């Protein structure tokens, strides 16, 4: 399909999607619930458009069905080719390496791969983007061509750290972009995952361990030392503390992509105590799952768990929790399907039905854990390296800010990174 015709199809489909969500009463109510749940306050129309498009392309209904799948079910004659391409669209950071008349030659800092990106508008309308700058953008692929669907931000070439920080956020939000169109990187990550899994099982005697967040940092540090050969064994008794109460609640400071970013500063920094599960999946990597111990207690028929239905829903609908964990729980707790059906008001007959409904993204895509992706990410290493440099060098309040803004440190990043 010619490029001009493709851009017209994309624009028409997006217009139809926005028109549909505005007119469909059920979806409109779901969108309102999405805004409330995620505490999103919209001040102006331009903000509404950004949030609305993000919800259309990546949002899910309360029962876990993607908004785009709901749209197709209600509009069977729609342009399914473009809709399917929109389902696979992704947000990442791209370094501009060459600017041509009708496209950009870029380097994706997440997948570490080159992309030629075709704007849906003329490049003259994107004059703020310069050579070697970074752009945060959503990309869509149709007929082996990649199009700039949205450009969210342009980061100066002199602010590399912030580009790598945004890359890290993008990887946490959508780990599969680390291996998007990069088979070599995928195989490299799979090899690393198998090595980590072998060490994890050897270290802890199984693929799962539950600790409180107050002990999680120590566990991670000691496991890394074990994996790299710095120590020969870990005394799990020193780490696995007694969890006094299992309960589910919202961890506000660790919502969405902020969870792993804040976690690198220390799980114990939270003013709340909760259980964390470390689960090593031989297929997709290492997972850090808040309230996995609480979930286990619920499956053990502990009726005293606070907000247990919300906990079950969190485990099922969270796309950062892999299907193999659900298979494991089905083997461990024979009432698993019964509890799921009762809580979610479903009639699943097998664990594969549950996975098909809630975890289809893992079956359809090369999805890996955020933790494993970050461990092998050059961008994340540079973010950590920046923090280590900052910690080892005292920056005065009146010194130039290290971000390169030209402002004094006290008037720029002190509130973000200072103490």
């Amino acid at each position: 399909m010619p490029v001009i015709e493709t851009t017209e199809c994309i624009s028409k489909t997006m217009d139809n999607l926005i028109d549909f969500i505005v007119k469909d009463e059920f979806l409109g109510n779901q969108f309102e619930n999405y805004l409330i749940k995620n505490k999103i306050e919209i001040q102006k129309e331009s903000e509404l458009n950004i949030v609305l498009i993000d919800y259309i392309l990546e949002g899910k209904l309360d029962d876990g069905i993607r908004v785009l799948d709901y749209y197709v079910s209600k509009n069977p004659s729609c342009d399914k080719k473009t809709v399917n391409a929109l389902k696979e669209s992704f947000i990442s950071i791209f370094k501009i390496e060459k600017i041509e008349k009708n496209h950009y030659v870029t380097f994706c800092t997440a997948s570490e791969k080159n992309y030629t990106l075709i704007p849906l508008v003329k490049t003259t309308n994107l004059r703020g983007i310069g050579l070697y700058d970074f752009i945060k953008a959503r990309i869509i692929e149709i007929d082996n061509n990649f199009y700039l669907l949205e450009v969210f931000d342009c980061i100066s070439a002199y602010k590399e750290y912030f580009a790598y920080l945004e890359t890290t956020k993008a990887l946490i939000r959508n780990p599969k972009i680390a291996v998007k169109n990069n088979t070599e990187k995928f195989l490299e990550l799979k090899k690393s995952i198998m090595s980590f899994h072998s060490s994890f099982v050897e270290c802890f005697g199984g693929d799962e361990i539950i600790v409180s967040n107050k002990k999680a940092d120590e566990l991670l540090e000691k496991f890394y030392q074990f994996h790299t050969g710095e120590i020969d064994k870990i005394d799990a008794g020193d780490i696995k503390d007694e969890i006094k109460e299992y309960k589910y609640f919202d961890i506000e400071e660790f919502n969405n992509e902020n969870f792993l970013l804040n976690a690198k500063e220390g799980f114990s920094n939270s003013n709340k105590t909760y259980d964390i599960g470390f689960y090593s999946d031989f297929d997709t990597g290492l997972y850090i799952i808040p309230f996995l111990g609480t979930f286990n207690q619920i499956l053990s028929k502990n009726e005293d768990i606070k907000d247990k239905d919300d906990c079950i829903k969190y485990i099922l609908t969270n796309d950062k929790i892999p299907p193999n964990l659900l298979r494991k729980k089905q083997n461990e707790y024979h009432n698993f399907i019964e509890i799921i059906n009762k809580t979610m008001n479903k009639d699943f007959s097998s664990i594969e039905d549950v996975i098909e409904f809630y975890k289809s993204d893992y079956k359809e895509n090369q999805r890996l854990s955020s933790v494993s992706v970050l461990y092998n990410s050059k961008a994340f290493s540079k973010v950590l390296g920046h923090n280590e440099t900052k910690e080892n060098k005292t920056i005065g309040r009146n010194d130039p800010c290290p971000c390169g803004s030209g402002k004094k440190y006290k008037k720029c990043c002190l509130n973000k990174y200072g103490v």
Side-chain angles (χ1 to χ4, degrees):
M1 184 185 297
V3 169
I4 294 178
E5 189 176 341
T6 300
T7 57
E8 290 175 351
C9 287
I10 295 171
S11 297
K12 182 179 178 181
T13 300
M14 288 301 300
D15 288 342
N16 290 339
L17 280 163
I18 292 173
D19 186 56
F20 175 75
I21 195 174
V22 170
K23 292 181 178 179
D24 187 89
E25 184 177 354
F26 171 74
L27 195 54
N29 290 333
Q30 290 277 308
F31 180 60
E32 290 293 331
N33 292 337
Y34 168 81
L35 294 177
I36 294 171
K37 180 180 178 181
N38 291 279
K39 300 178 181 177
I40 299 173
E41 295 184 4
I42 296 172
Q43 306 294 334
K44 48 189 177 182
E45 187 174 349
S46 59
E47 294 175 350
L48 173 62
N49 289 337
I50 292 172
V51 175
L52 186 60
I53 291 172
D54 187 62
Y55 179 70
I56 290 171
L57 298 180
E58 298 193 7
K60 291 183 178 181
L61 308 183
D62 289 342
D63 60 2
I65 296 176
R66 285 191 65 168
V67 171
L68 284 172
D69 289 328
Y70 176 77
Y71 171 77
V72 171
S73 70
K74 295 295 183 179
N75 299 272
S77 62
C78 68
D79 181 358
K80 294 184 177 64
K81 178 180 178 180
T82 302
V83 172
N84 287 333
L86 288 170
K87 285 175 66 175
E88 294 302 313
S89 66
F90 63 96
I91 298 172
S92 190
I93 311 301
F94 300 85
K95 184 176 183 179
I96 306 297
E97 299 197 328
K98 194 174 183 180
I99 302 176
E100 300 287 359
K101 182 178 179 181
N102 296 313
H103 65 265
Y104 296 101
V105 178
T106 70
F107 176 77
C108 177
T109 55
S111 64
E112 298 162 20
K113 181 185 183 304
N114 289 103
Y115 283 86
T116 296
L117 303 180
I118 304 169
L120 294 180
V121 296
K122 292 181 179 179
T123 54
T124 52
N125 294 335
L126 301 171
R127 285 177 178 163
I129 301 172
L131 193 62
Y132 307 125
D133 284 345
F134 299 85
I135 57 170
K136 179 180 179 181
R138 182 185 291 277
I139 307 305
I140 180 174
E141 178 185 5
I142 296 181
D143 296 331
N144 297 317
N145 288 320
F146 294 90
Y147 297 86
L148 275 169
L149 190 61
E150 298 176 273
V151 177
F152 303 100
D153 195 10
C154 178
I155 303 169
S156 167
Y158 300 104
K159 297 184 180 181
E160 269 196 351
Y161 165 71
F162 292 99
Y164 293 129
L165 182 61
E166 287 300 315
T167 303
T168 299
K169 290 180 182 179
L171 285 168
I172 293 172
R173 184 182 189 189
N174 185 6
K176 66 185 179 185
I177 66 174
V179 296
K180 196 81 173 176
N181 303 298
N182 194 337
T183 303
E184 184 178 347
K185 183 76 179 293
F186 176 72
L187 295 175
E188 176 187 317
L189 271 166
K190 291 288 282 187
K191 185 177 179 180
S192 173
I193 285 169
M194 288 188 287
S195 174
F196 254 73
H197 180 72
S198 177
S199 292
F200 194 94
V201 173
E202 181 184 355
C203 182
F204 300 114
D207 59 7
E208 179 182 327
I209 184 169
I210 308 294
V211 298
S212 82
N213 61 311
K214 303 302 181 181
K215 288 284 187 175
D217 305 316
E218 183 182 353
L219 182 144
L220 274 175
E221 181 181 358
K222 287 188 178 297
F223 172 63
Y224 181 76
Q225 291 173 339
F226 177 85
H227 178 68
T228 56
E230 293 181 40
I231 58 177
D232 295 329
K233 64 177 182 178
I234 296 176
D235 187 348
D238 292 340
I239 299 174
K240 195 173 181 180
D241 57 333
E242 188 70 26
I243 298 171
K244 295 179 180 179
E245 182 182 13
Y246 288 97
K247 59 182 178 180
Y248 179 82
F249 52 88
D250 182 40
I251 311 174
E252 186 173 350
E253 66 264 37
F254 287 150
N255 279 341
N256 302 321
E257 68 265 15
N258 292 330
F259 180 75
L260 283 178
L261 283 176
N262 288 335
K264 71 183 178 64
E265 303 296 337
F267 290 102
S268 59
N269 283 347
S270 173
N271 59 7
K272 296 181 179 180
T273 300
Y274 54 93
D275 65 274
I276 290 181
F278 291 85
Y279 169 65
S280 179
D281 181 7
F282 68 91
D283 191 35
T284 58
L286 179 65
Y287 293 82
I288 302 173
I289 306 173
F291 306 110
L292 180 57
T294 299
F295 184 63
N296 291 342
Q297 290 292 314
I298 294 168
L299 296 179
S300 299
K301 294 187 176 180
N302 187 338
E303 298 295 332
D304 296 328
I305 301 296
K306 182 182 178 182
D307 296 326
K308 57 187 178 65
D309 288 357
D310 289 337
C311 183
I312 293 172
K313 184 177 179 181
Y314 159 74
I315 295 291
L316 290 176
T317 61
N318 188 334
D319 62 3
K320 293 180 175 60
I321 296 177
N324 281 341
L325 180 63
L326 301 189
R327 293 187 178 101
K328 180 186 179 188
K329 296 308 164 187
Q330 163 64 8
N331 291 331
E332 292 174 345
Y333 304 96
H334 298 303
N335 60 332
F336 182 77
I337 301 295
E338 177 186 341
I339 291 175
I340 298 307
N341 283 337
K342 181 180 178 181
T343 303
M344 306 302 289
N345 193 28
K346 300 293 183 183
D347 57 354
F348 299 121
S349 59
S350 70
I351 185 60
E352 295 308 316
D353 289 342
V354 176
I355 290 169
E356 183 68 34
F357 191 87
Y358 291 111
K359 306 294 179 181
S360 60
D361 193 42
Y362 282 83
K363 298 178 69 175
E364 297 170 0
N365 300 286
Q366 297 175 327
R367 189 177 185 106
L368 304 172
S369 82
S370 298
V371 176
S372 298
V373 164
L374 290 183
Y375 179 78
N376 292 274
S377 166
K378 292 179 181 177
F380 187 54
S381 295
K382 291 183 178 182
V383 169
L384 291 178
H386 174 94
N387 285 345
E388 289 168 2
T389 300
K390 173 178 68 66
E391 288 166 3
N392 292 330
K393 181 181 178 181
T394 302
I395 304 171
R397 292 172 57 83
N398 293 312
D399 289 344
C401 187
C403 77
S405 66
K407 299 178 182 178
K408 290 183 179 181
Y409 183 48
K410 66 183 180 182
K411 293 187 177 181
C412 191
C413 291
L414 176 62
N415 292 331
K416 287 184 180 180
Y417 307 110
V419 292

